[in-house]
Amino acid sequence: MLPANERSPGASANPMSLSAAKLCRLPPSATEDFNRFCANGDDESLRRLLIAVLTDHLPDKSKQIPSWSDETKLIEDLGYDSLAIAEMIFYFEDLFQISISNEEILHVRTLGELHVFVHMKAKAVAA
């Protein structure tokens, strides 16, 4: 949970308010995708949300995320380093109210693996 001084004005301690505060820095369509994924597990919405988050956390802002490919590698193809991956993981933890261990994330190397991983973790919490 975000400390009180990092919450947006008016945000309460409920997960949806915290998620809304986290989503405000992404394009408006990301909020729609987040809500759609949370409501019915829509994979395409999750992919679009992941692209928005990945783009926001790109270490080299001059790069762009190419069209979705499950084989695209986070480090080699997109230029993520360990710090950028850690920041992105913290973001996902706050957004979905999940916990991700270092051991778990070490196995995530591609967009496809990230998609499966986030989907599995977020749906486990929702269940």
Side-chain angles (χ1 to χ4, degrees), residues 38-57:
C38 289
N40 62 22
D42 182 58
D43 266 351
E44 193 54 39
S45 294
L46 179 59
R47 279 191 184 93
R48 287 190 302 267
L49 177 61
L50 289 176
I51 291 293
V53 173
L54 286 161
T55 300
D56 186 61
H57 286 85

Side-chain angles (χ1 to χ4, degrees), residues 3-62:
N5 64 344
E6 292 183 32
R7 293 184 193 144
S8 64
S12 68
N14 80 51
M16 290 307 284
S17 293
L18 293 176
S19 295
K22 293 299 270 184
L23 289 165
C24 71
R25 67 190 239 189
L26 301 178
S29 60
T31 298
E32 295 168 16
D33 289 325
F34 173 77
N35 291 334
R36 197 172 302 116
F37 172 72
C38 289
N40 62 22
D42 182 58
D43 266 351
E44 193 54 39
S45 294
L46 179 59
R47 279 191 184 93
R48 287 190 302 267
L49 177 61
L50 289 176
I51 291 293
V53 173
L54 286 161
T55 300
D56 186 61
H57 286 85
L58 269 175
D60 181 356
K61 298 298 184 190
S62 68

